[in-house]
Amino acid sequence: MRLGVLDVGSNTVHLLVVDAHPGARPLPAHSHKAELRLAELLDGDGAIGSEGVDRLIAVVKEALEAAEDKGVEEVLPFATSAVREAANADEVLARVAEETGVQLRVLSGEDEARLTFLAARRWCGWSSGRLLLLDIGGGSLEIAYGLDEEPDAAVSLPLGAGRLTAGWLPGDPPDPADVRALRRHVRAEIARVVGDFSRHSTPDQVVATSKTFKQLARIAGAARSAEGLYVERRLTAKALEEWVPRLTAMPTEERAELPGVSEGRAPQLLAGALVAEAAMDLFAVDVLEICPWALREGVILRRLDHLPT
């Protein structure tokens, strides 16, 4: 069947269309995305303003039209941290449902971590053994660990690259004092949960998903996306240590000229790098693998698991 997963994230609204059936890997057929940056549209009370809701509704309608054009039989719609944490989340969800007919499923942070872990486990396979997963989104950081398809430990922290950029790094380039303050904040937040994972065995493999990690790996020398999904891409702690000071000194315009960095994501790259560096340091990770599957694939795989064979 042809499935569509509609991901209302903190940075983008992304429709991924796949051809899928139980027991087979989902084959991407179409991708439709719009940058919305909901995490940056919150007002002083933490609510998504009327303009932001209007834009969200318009983008959802566009995605539904694209799904219809591509012959999608079922759309799996969900929202993550930006909607989940909005002060007016119920109102936003009601308006979206009323004006588009889409009932957005709001994933908890732990749900995000677990579904992303499922995708990474399926991609890496059982031979990867004990798996540690890191995922930096626009609004949150997900960390999960386990030997099976359900992780033994899974947490979500409010350390998304978009959220941190908006709240901590107003300058362009940012003030070094602001960068140091953010660095302290990020490390303190991650350090609080390290103990939840350290009681488990050392991971056999560490993987990272998300656009942030892909871009960091690319600027550190990893293969271009055009070279295909199956090319091994890695990110080392040493490379991050070298790149963070360079990113700190760069204005957004200069970051956007780096290989693999889009104009829309360039402002968030430094905050994402600080989170990635802290996570790798505090979890004692020297090198990690970039996994091309993430949350959207996890949602699709979970749906396929419940289809009759």
Side-chain angles (χ1 to χ4, degrees):
M1 65 186 302
R2 179 157 280 194
L3 288 173
V5 57
L6 181 59
D7 174 3
V8 178
S10 298
N11 282 318
T12 62
V13 176
H14 189 169
L15 172 74
L16 176 65
V17 177
V18 300
D19 292 321
H21 63 269
R25 64 186 177 92
L27 295 173
H30 180 68
S31 177
H32 175 92
K33 66 176 69 175
E35 286 197 355
L36 198 57
R37 296 198 187 92
L38 281 176
E40 299 176 16
L41 296 177
L42 302 179
D43 62 24
D45 298 321
I48 300 174
S50 58
E51 180 183 350
V53 179
D54 290 342
R55 287 169 58 188
L56 171 59
I57 289 169
V59 168
V60 169
K61 287 180 177 178
E62 290 174 7
L64 291 177
E65 290 174 4
E68 182 179 333
D69 289 345
K70 296 301 177 182
V72 170
E73 297 179 48
E74 181 182 356
V75 175
L76 310 173
F78 68 89
T80 55
S81 63
V83 173
R84 178 173 69 235
E85 297 168 14
N88 60 337
D90 291 342
E91 176 188 334
V92 172
L93 294 170
R95 276 202 60 196
V96 170
E98 179 183 357
E99 299 194 32
T100 70
V102 171
Q103 299 280 348
L104 284 174
R105 172 192 175 195
V106 179
L107 299 180
S108 69
E110 186 173 318
D111 285 339
E112 283 192 59
R114 290 182 175 279
L115 287 166
T116 306
F117 184 87
L118 170 64
R121 167 59 71 196
R122 293 277 179 95
W123 179 269
C124 295
W126 297 113
S127 62
S128 57
R130 295 178 293 266
L131 199 63
L132 176 64
L133 165 83
L134 303 173
D135 180 286
I136 303 170
S140 58
L141 162 70
E142 275 69 52
I143 308 169
Y145 167 96
L147 183 61
D148 300 316
E149 291 196 339
E150 282 292 325
D152 298 315
V155 299
S156 178
L157 301 174
L159 297 177
R163 178 202 298 268
L164 296 178
T165 301
W168 291 79
L169 301 176
D172 185 23
D175 188 309
D178 290 336
V179 176
R180 286 194 298 272
L182 177 56
R183 184 179 186 275
R184 287 193 298 270
H185 169 71
V186 166
R187 286 173 177 262
E189 289 290 307
I190 295 174
R192 291 177 183 173
V193 303
V194 169
D196 297 335
F197 294 84
S198 61
R199 64 173 58 97
H200 299 286
S201 301
T202 302
D204 299 305
Q205 184 172 353
V206 183
V207 298
T209 62
S210 75
K211 193 71 169 179
T212 294
F213 271 113
K214 290 175 183 176
Q215 291 184 337
L216 291 171
R218 179 72 184 97
I219 66 173
R224 298 172 302 151
S225 59
E227 295 182 39
L229 290 178
Y230 301 104
V231 175
E232 183 181 82
R233 295 172 175 86
R234 311 172 87 196
L235 177 64
T236 66
K238 184 176 185 297
L240 266 182
E241 184 181 346
E242 294 172 354
W243 267 101
V244 167
R246 296 170 66 180
L247 292 173
T248 298
M250 287 183 185
T252 297
E253 183 178 2
E254 191 173 337
R255 286 183 218 150
E257 295 175 355
L258 294 171
V261 178
S262 66
E263 184 179 349
R265 298 275 184 161
Q268 305 178 11
L269 191 60
L270 173 58
L274 289 169
V275 174
E277 182 187 40
M280 292 182 73
D281 186 12
L282 292 168
F283 282 94
V285 176
D286 293 324
V287 60
L288 52 76
E289 308 288 337
I290 303 299
C291 174
W293 279 6
L295 178 58
R296 285 182 289 274
E297 287 79 10
V299 170
I300 292 168
L301 291 167
R302 181 65 77 219
R303 178 70 182 94
L304 291 176
D305 286 348
H306 291 89
L307 287 178
T309 56

